[in-house]
Amino acid sequence: MDHEQHQAGNAGAGTRVRDPVCGMMVDPKTAISAEHDGKTYHFCCDGCRTSFMAAPETYLAQTPFELPVRKGAAGPMHGPHEHGTAPHPAAARPPSPQRGEGTPAAGTKYTCPMHPQIVRDAPGDCPICGMALEPVVPAAEPGPNPELSDFTRRLVVSAALSVPLLVLSMGELVGLPFQRWLGAALGWVELLIASPVVLWAAWPFWRRFAASLRNRSPNMWTLIGLGVAAAYLFSLVAVVAPGLFPMSEMGPPIYFESAAVIITLVFVGQVLELRAREATGSAIRALLDLAPKVAHRVRDGRDEDVPLGAVQTGDLLRVKPGEAVPVDGEISEGRSDIDESMLTGEPLPQSRGAGDRVTGGTLNGSGSFVLRATAVGAATRLSQIVALVGAAQRSRAPIQALADRVANWFVPLVVAIAVVAFVVWLAVGHDVAQAMVAAISVLIIACPCALGLATPMSVMVASGRGAHAGVLVKDATALETFARVDTLVVDKTGTLTEGKPMLAQVVPDKGVDEGRVLAIAAALERHSAHPLAHAIVMGATARVAKAFDVDGFRSVTGKGVTGALHDVPVALGNRALMDELQVPVSEAFAGLLQDHAEKGRTAMFVAEAGKVIGVVTVSDPIKAGATEAIAALAAEGVEIVMATGDAPATAKAVGRELGMTRIEAGMTPEGKHDLVLALRKSGRVVGFAGDGINDAPALAAADVGIAMGTGSDVAIESAGITLLKGDLGGAVRARRLAAATLRNIGQNLWFAFGYNAIGIPIAAGVLYPLTGWLLSPMIAAAAMALSSVSVIGNALRLNRVKL
């Protein structure tokens, strides 16, 4: 079915139809529509509608495609399916590879960072806003980003040439009269230095500038292109044909340094943005690395090592002690404790045996087992988590959208004013040179240097200020959004709590010494590698308990441990172990165990000679300052929601201690992700704070993710904000910083546009009839520089923000 049939056949059916420009599925009732050739077409945004109306045949002739799934790999190569949409087709025109991008990997897809619904199968530009497309899913093997390497090289060259240009142009101010020394040769020297910057380094910008004109979609690249072109071309004519501008004995002014500096500053912002995108790819690569590269396949009674991609559903795979589980499957023989914290956030390993399901990427303990593969490649749960992280990360809207929305009317207005100024000056009897000066002055003073600095300068200063306060900020979007967050979803383990089990209480039976209970428990646990065992042994050492040696140690998976102390049987474990050993448990001790469970603690019986002699408890302590941080956020109108993989009793116990009322327990990574999306769909601005691998999908799906710096690398890479000290109090500091930064960005934008609002009319000559004074391009350039200085000075005030 072609686009016309698809649109016309479904528009009235109440179902979703495909945008013919970007391929996004839209609701005809709420979408932007347009008529062409007697048919109605529906679009996701004004940009798509404008592009379509400019060249409808181009878009109607394209063939949609679906993104393939890479079979047998740990991660999927398919694009996002946000909000239930179908896989996205290619955008319209065939792409042309960008210089410096290199050869794309086979099967790689490319998407627009501002319009993630646009997906192509090769590098190129976004048909709506002219931005370079980026890979949908990074390569599994880390490597340098060709575009980042290319832009960094262009930045270095631009900066190296801009410095001598500034020295030459500002020589009079520093006591070096280059113009008197070199005369007319000065202009040729500056032309020689500036040309590589404008004609070579800025080539990617010129391509995007041309795309914005071709697609009739004015944006930041339109502003940059006009400003640089005006400064460079005016200066070029002034050097080649100075007689056209009989303005002074020294010749007309030249602005090569303005063109070069603008390009250099733009490259600074682009390199910072590309580095942020690199971090996004690192998060997905870290998830992919959870799965082993090789699996031990069992065939005909023998083990053979095969690449993970060769594993098929139904294969028998042996998992050895300490190895990661290769794929999703069901244990057919053997038993072990498996660390599933990547899925549940629960630090305690879970006992798994024959008939139990295990998940690829989880970590096997000290046992060995054989599993039958039930899901491989893109069908595994790990791959689905990778897809969630990738899709959610790409769905974030960048803060630059504000500048582009303004550019939709600002760029045409500036060009119109420049043209009107030129015509009016000619009409009232002035020569072409004066008319050209007025028009060029308008374009130069409207150059978006300050506008381009408004956001990155504030973000750079805020990032430095935040680092001193233990808050690491990834990008401007995170700061802007966190200031508006009204709901914060918080993981429990490692975020609200320390994430490290510690010995809490030792409760002896009547007539039994507390130290003996602890000493026997520690003697048994010294032979175990279980996290609870480590907590008990460390607690016993801290409390200077006696050191006993036990014989005949035996671990009973899922129940506890047993042994003998001087030929007397001893044991440590749960009620199931006591029942197996036929050790009676009094109602008092059984009730004690229940009480501790309700308080979020793990309690275990200690038995000697067939009798329970006491109970030891292990807990995950609440982080210092967590209670105060939650109270402070709540006082600012932020609703706090706990989302954890722990059991309800444990979660509620921690919630009560922290003063929290909304608790979501027993949640999987997908469940946390879906909770975040549900809150967003209800109109909330959602933040998510977590520290584990299992939190990565929710961190990426939230409007802004907050990671604990003490947590996993995947969580940190998936988040927009990282709290380096790992305390939730950092979230309070981050919110204050975010609010201050958002105000600062707003002030900077007012500075940038305020100068234009005042300077453009003056540059056009509105004061000439009253004062006889015309703003020269040199004054226009000075005003442009002053606006940049104002923006920088205002941004530096963020260093004094109290957090």
Side-chain angles (χ1 to χ4, degrees):
M1 180 180 291
D2 61 23
H3 283 294
E4 295 187 15
Q5 292 171 327
H6 188 86
Q7 289 265 352
N10 289 284
T15 58
R16 298 164 73 83
V17 299
R18 194 180 299 280
D19 182 327
V21 175
C22 67
M24 183 176 181
M25 301 301 291
V26 298
D27 185 346
K29 296 180 180 179
T30 58
I32 298 169
S33 302
E35 297 286 337
H36 171 69
D37 197 20
K39 295 181 177 66
T40 301
Y41 296 88
H42 306 279
F43 308 90
C44 68
C45 63
D46 283 321
C48 281
R49 179 185 180 279
T50 301
S51 297
F52 177 82
M53 296 307 292
E57 293 77 14
T58 304
Y59 295 95
L60 295 178
Q62 67 179 338
T63 302
F65 67 86
E66 292 191 350
L67 300 178
V69 175
R70 183 179 58 182
K71 299 183 183 300
M77 293 299 289
H78 55 76
H81 290 246
E82 294 94 351
H83 312 299
T85 62
H88 307 304
R93 284 176 284 276
S96 54
Q98 293 192 40
R99 196 176 287 191
E101 290 186 7
T103 303
T108 301
K109 302 301 171 186
Y110 294 82
T111 185
C112 174
M114 293 183 67
H115 298 273
Q117 68 271 19
I118 294 174
V119 179
R120 283 183 170 177
D121 60 356
D125 285 334
C126 171
I128 297 176
C129 60
M131 293 188 71
L133 302 181
E134 63 182 25
V136 171
V137 176
E141 295 299 325
N145 181 329
E147 188 177 23
L148 175 58
S149 300
D150 180 51
F151 274 32
T152 302
R153 180 168 59 251
R154 294 174 189 270
L155 169 60
V156 171
V157 172
S158 300
L161 294 176
S162 295
V163 171
L165 274 174
L166 283 172
V167 173
L168 289 172
S169 63
M170 302 297 178
E172 296 287 345
L173 299 178
V174 295
L176 299 173
F178 292 113
Q179 195 164 16
R180 289 201 296 270
W181 294 346
L182 299 177
L186 176 62
W188 289 99
V189 172
E190 292 193 24
L191 172 61
L192 182 65
I193 298 174
S195 292
V197 178
V198 176
L199 302 180
W200 173 78
W203 181 249
F205 300 162
W206 291 122
R207 293 183 66 252
R208 298 177 189 181
F209 169 66
S212 71
L213 299 179
R214 184 174 62 249
N215 296 311
R216 303 180 188 179
S217 180
N219 53 43
M220 284 295 298
W221 300 113
T222 316
L223 295 174
I224 292 168
L226 287 175
V228 173
Y232 182 79
L233 293 177
F234 176 84
S235 303
L236 178 64
V237 174
V239 170
V240 175
L244 294 178
F245 305 99
M247 301 171 63
S248 69
E249 295 181 359
M250 301 300 292
I254 53 178
Y255 307 101
F256 290 120
E257 82 286 351
S258 296
V261 169
I262 290 170
I263 292 169
T264 302
L265 292 173
V266 173
F267 269 119
V268 170
Q270 288 294 292
V271 168
L272 291 175
E273 179 186 346
L274 287 169
R275 285 181 178 175
R277 295 190 207 169
E278 278 286 276
T280 297
S282 298
I284 297 179
R285 283 193 294 268
L287 282 172
L288 293 173
D289 287 341
L290 290 175
K293 303 296 186 293
V294 175
H296 312 300
R297 186 164 58 192
V298 181
R299 280 189 177 176
D300 302 325
R302 294 184 299 118
D303 290 2
E304 57 177 348
D305 290 348
V306 297
L308 189 63
V311 175
Q312 299 179 357
T313 302
D315 284 352
L316 293 176
L317 307 173
R318 188 181 305 281
V319 182
K320 299 177 181 180
E323 292 184 339
V325 178
V327 297
D328 296 357
E330 182 178 295
I331 296 179
S332 60
E333 63 177 76
R335 174 174 286 276
S336 184
D337 290 333
I338 298 179
D339 181 358
E340 299 179 343
S341 59
M342 63 157 286
L343 297 175
T344 65
E346 173 57 50
L348 304 180
Q350 302 299 308
S351 175
R352 296 288 183 261
D356 292 333
R357 290 186 173 274
V358 292
T359 304
T362 55
L363 186 63
N364 183 29
S366 57
S368 177
F369 59 88
V370 175
L371 68 85
R372 183 178 300 276
T374 58
V376 300
T380 64
R381 198 171 182 191
L382 177 61
S383 293
Q384 293 166 359
I385 291 176
V386 170
L388 287 175
V389 174
Q393 285 174 332
R394 290 190 302 275
S395 68
R396 286 174 178 157
I399 197 172
Q400 286 83 357
L402 172 62
D404 277 342
R405 287 196 299 270
V406 174
N408 284 332
W409 60 264
F410 180 71
V411 175
L413 180 62
V414 170
V415 174
I417 293 174
V419 172
V420 169
F422 183 83
V423 172
V424 169
W425 276 88
L426 288 180
V428 296
H430 294 279
D431 58 28
V432 174
Q434 289 177 306
M436 183 64 72
V437 166
I440 294 297
S441 294
V442 168
L443 291 175
I444 289 179
I445 206 170
C447 187
C449 189
L451 183 60
L453 284 173
T455 294
M457 274 304 302
S458 295
V459 172
M460 282 191 291
V461 176
S463 298
R465 178 69 182 93
H468 286 291
V471 177
L472 181 63
V473 178
K474 180 181 289 185
D475 55 35
T477 305
L479 278 173
E480 179 199 31
T481 307
F482 197 40
R484 300 190 176 111
V485 162
D486 55 30
T487 304
L488 181 62
V489 182
V490 185
D491 173 53
K492 181 187 78 68
T493 306
T495 303
L496 295 173
T497 65
E498 293 289 349
K500 300 176 182 178
M502 296 180 64
L503 178 66
Q505 288 183 292
V506 179
V507 183
D509 195 7
K510 292 181 180 179
V512 180
D513 180 63
E514 177 181 326
R516 183 171 183 81
V517 175
L518 181 56
I520 292 176
L524 286 164
E525 294 289 39
R526 282 193 184 95
H527 298 273
S528 174
H530 197 284
L532 290 181
H534 180 73
I536 292 174
V537 172
M538 295 299 294
T541 302
R543 299 185 188 188
V544 198
K546 292 183 179 179
F548 292 153
D549 290 323
V550 297
D551 300 319
F553 172 82
R554 183 172 69 95
S555 175
V556 184
T557 304
K559 297 179 180 179
V561 293
T562 65
L565 180 62
H566 305 303
D567 296 327
V568 176
V570 291
L572 171 72
N574 55 23
R575 181 63 180 267
L577 180 63
M578 297 299 105
D579 292 342
E580 179 180 314
L581 299 176
Q582 297 182 350
V583 175
V585 178
S586 67
E587 291 185 6
F589 272 126
L592 183 63
L593 217 68
Q594 180 64 29
D595 290 342
H596 282 292
E598 292 177 353
K599 294 178 181 177
R601 301 169 185 164
T602 300
M604 293 159 284
F605 297 109
V606 180
E608 181 181 17
K611 177 186 176 183
V612 173
I613 63 172
V615 170
V616 294
T617 66
V618 174
S619 66
D620 187 4
I622 290 176
K623 283 190 174 182
T627 303
E628 293 78 6
I630 289 175
L633 290 168
E636 295 185 11
V638 179
E639 180 185 1
I640 311 296
V641 180
M642 180 196 294
T644 177
D646 279 356
T650 302
K652 290 179 180 178
V654 174
R656 282 195 302 269
E657 191 170 349
L658 290 169
M660 302 177 67
T661 57
R662 184 170 177 181
I663 310 295
E664 301 288 345
M667 304 206 78
T668 63
E670 295 90 341
K672 294 178 182 180
H673 174 271
D674 293 344
L675 171 64
V676 169
L677 289 184
L679 289 168
R680 291 183 64 186
K681 287 180 180 178
S682 69
R684 302 292 189 93
V685 181
V686 183
F688 185 93
D691 77 321
I693 294 170
N694 63 303
D695 298 322
L699 282 165
D703 290 292
V704 60
I706 303 101
M708 301 294 114
T710 52
S712 70
D713 291 341
V714 175
I716 293 172
E717 294 292 353
S718 298
I721 296 174
T722 299
L723 308 181
L724 297 177
K725 298 178 182 177
D727 64 315
L728 200 60
V732 180
R733 298 189 290 274
R735 185 171 171 82
R736 291 170 182 165
L737 177 65
T741 304
L742 189 59
R743 289 194 301 269
N744 195 266
I745 290 174
Q747 293 162 357
N748 284 348
L749 291 174
W750 275 109
F751 273 124
F753 286 111
Y755 275 104
N756 282 321
I758 297 172
I760 289 176
I762 296 176
V766 295
L767 296 181
Y768 187 82
L770 301 176
T771 64
W773 180 68
L774 176 64
L775 185 67
S776 71
M778 180 176 291
I779 301 298
M784 179 188 70
L786 182 60
S787 68
S788 299
V789 171
S790 300
V791 165
I792 293 172
N794 187 57
L796 290 174
R797 294 194 307 114
L798 287 171
N799 280 320
R800 300 193 295 271
V801 172
K802 184 177 181 181
L803 302 180

